[in-house]
Amino acid sequence: MGILEVKGVNKRFGGLQALGNVNLSIAENTVHAIIGPNGAGKSTLLNVLVGKLIPDSGSVMFDGQSVLGRKPHEINQLGISRVFQTPEIFTDLTVLENVMIPCFAKRDGAFRMHAIESVGHEVDIKTQAETMLADVNMLEKSNMHAGSLSRGDKRRLEMAMCLVQEPRLLLLDEPTAGMARADTNNTIDLLKEIKAKRDITMAIIEHDMHVVFSLAERITVLAQGTPLVEDTPDNIKGHPKVKEAYLGEAAH
Amino acid sequence: MLGLNSKDFTLFLVVVVLVIAAPILLNPFPSDSAFAQFNAGYPALMQRFVIFGILVIGFNILFGLTGYLSFGHAAFLGVGSFAAVWMFKLLSYNIVPAVLLSVIVAGLFSVVIGYVSLRRSGIYFSILTLAFAQMMYAIAYSDLLGKFFGGIVTNGETGLQVYNDDPQILMSPGDPTVPHLFGWEMNSSFTWDVGGWSFVFQNGYYLSGILMLASFYLAIRIFRSPFGLMLRAIKSNQNRLAYTGVSSRPYALAAFVISGMYAGLAGGLLAAMDPLTGAERMFWTASGEIVIMSILGGVGTLIGPILGAGVIKYMENIVSTINDNVVHGWFAFMPDGIENILVTVIHPFIGKGWHLTLGLVFMAVVIFLPGGLVEGGQRLGRLFERRKVEEKPPTATTEPAE
Ligand SMILES: Nc1ncnc2c1ncn2[C@@H]1O[C@H](COP(=O)(O)OP(=O)(O)O)[C@@H](O)[C@H]1O
Ligand SMILES: [Mg+2]
């Protein structure tokens, strides 16, 4: 049994079958990549996993509990965090505040009336956030407005916001899209470090094969809403069906 | 100090001093001078400054932090006033039960209205709050509740006030027949005449002032708390907040109810200063005025809303009382022709035309100072800072803007 079990999931948008009978099992403490051409349904699948979309049929179990019908904040509280394809951060707040909010959410739950004590007195939370920022090399940007960060920094900040919660399952939707090569390599190193440090399961959607083959232990290839094959990176590289459906397409 | 960081504490101290000294500071012109007209240091107006200050401080917790623009906040002020006057009618003129009930009733109304309205965001939220407030206004104005139950509840167009044959079951003979705090009458005052000046220190003003300071202090604590941070996160990105494991609905509702209770307190105090009220306090223009006060002063800043409330109440009460004769008085030293031209030019902006003046000031602020009067202050401050830095070696540290 994997930590995440997707069974028979279907999702239609009008006449378009975005997901057709998707079965997927992600084993605990692995990095599982989901690849596939544009429009294959990768983001849609992620949206189903975090409660943003409700599938027409099928089941999604996280650690033995169904996630379907739960609100996004409840799914997060189960231990699932998500990095979006376009960074979702609190642009009006400082970088430090951005990372403190997930710390509060982790400690205090979905709602806590905590209206009198000053944020400045929350030393533990602040330390936690600053340690995380140091890990992603952004500590010196703590007091900057998140909205004024570069695109690459916004992605790193979003990743820090997810990682600081120590999720059991981290979902990453094209985490290196739009990054320069150096930043991409930093991101790969960061994710490897996190993986080495503690138990975490990652599901990563990625177009960049360099990233996929640097990180993934299992790869699922999705095409037209249906998983084509699932295998180890080495086997996927040589798989004729994959070459045809995906790698071939990506080559031009 | 007091659990505030040094910058907030300084700001709070400044406001404390201003509230205490307002009867003097707002009366700069001797009573018999031509400019006495501009003095704002009389109790009825100073009460309004601080009471509307409370209202807008509370409104700012909702609008300034979460970005949810309530367009029906005057409704909570209105129910607060009605609740207080009913306490005067039923119990006695002691303001303690009156003000307490104002806050509680406004809180209950805001739980219901907030719960429903917060199912939508943006313009739809604003329209829902507006619709609720207008319904409440209509109910109060035609006293539908009174008609339904038989008797009076809001007393319709006439408005609600205390009559001699009201029960007032807690009144003993000899008790004051005006609102009081355990015998300390709200409308009593002490007048200090020095030189040509006459300064009036009124109980009601100081009680309202103290409550405004308490409200302001609480608002600062809320702004700086983890709760306040979550409210700002709601304004910034609700989507991310949800995927961070936070349920924004109860946070927004809590902010809505807190700001509704602030409005209830303000409504209760208005009644405590003058024990009568009417439906017009809930009319949509009153709600609009609250929005304008916040934007004029500086949305989301601590001090801005208080400034905005002050400026608008000043114009409403001072600019509106200037008439052509007064202006003739100012320019009497000029040749008649020029005097008449000046009066003709100024005429549309004074007296009943004060709304025009307000509109122009509002437009100027929104266009040139999108951060409100507070931004104007900051720009001035920076100008001074730069001068100082030029004189002295640069030691100034930049702190995040207020
Ligand atoms: N909310 C939506 N409404 C309608 N169609 C959608 C919606 N989201 C995605 N789709 C369609 O579903 C298909 C899969 O999209 P997506 O999951 O974003 O693909 P990928 O992330 O693999 O590139 C695409 O054809 C897309 O146009
Ligand atoms: Mg996608």
Side-chain angles (χ1 to χ4, degrees), chain A residues 42-43 85 173-174:
Chain A
K42 306 179 298 291
S43 295
Q85 195 164 351
D173 197 348
E174 307 203 19

Short mmCIF file of all heavy atoms in Angstrom, two decimals, chain A residues 42-43 85 173-174, ligand 2:
data_model
loop_
_atom_site.label_atom_id
_atom_site.label_comp_id
_atom_site.label_asym_id
_atom_site.label_seq_id
_atom_site.Cartn_x
_atom_site.Cartn_y
_atom_site.Cartn_z
N LYS A 42 -1.99 16.47 -16.00
CA LYS A 42 -1.14 16.40 -14.80
C LYS A 42 -1.63 17.38 -13.72
O LYS A 42 -1.80 17.00 -12.57
CB LYS A 42 0.32 16.71 -15.17
CG LYS A 42 0.86 15.82 -16.29
CD LYS A 42 2.29 16.15 -16.64
CE LYS A 42 2.54 17.54 -17.17
NZ LYS A 42 1.99 17.85 -18.50
N SER A 43 -1.85 18.63 -14.14
CA SER A 43 -2.30 19.61 -13.15
C SER A 43 -3.69 19.25 -12.63
O SER A 43 -3.99 19.44 -11.44
CB SER A 43 -2.32 21.01 -13.76
OG SER A 43 -1.01 21.42 -14.08
N GLN A 85 1.93 25.71 -10.09
CA GLN A 85 2.64 25.93 -11.35
C GLN A 85 3.05 27.40 -11.50
O GLN A 85 4.14 27.69 -11.94
CB GLN A 85 1.75 25.50 -12.52
CG GLN A 85 2.50 25.35 -13.82
CD GLN A 85 1.71 24.56 -14.87
OE1 GLN A 85 0.66 23.99 -14.57
NE2 GLN A 85 2.21 24.54 -16.07
N ASP A 173 4.17 21.16 -8.75
CA ASP A 173 3.72 21.29 -10.14
C ASP A 173 4.74 22.14 -10.90
O ASP A 173 4.76 23.35 -10.76
CB ASP A 173 2.33 21.93 -10.17
CG ASP A 173 1.64 21.73 -11.52
OD1 ASP A 173 2.33 21.31 -12.47
OD2 ASP A 173 0.43 21.99 -11.61
N GLU A 174 5.56 21.50 -11.67
CA GLU A 174 6.61 22.16 -12.45
C GLU A 174 7.40 23.17 -11.62
O GLU A 174 7.40 24.37 -11.91
CB GLU A 174 5.99 22.84 -13.68
CG GLU A 174 5.16 21.87 -14.48
CD GLU A 174 4.99 22.28 -15.94
OE1 GLU A 174 5.78 23.10 -16.40
OE2 GLU A 174 4.08 21.76 -16.59
MG MG C 2 0.02 21.80 -15.85
#
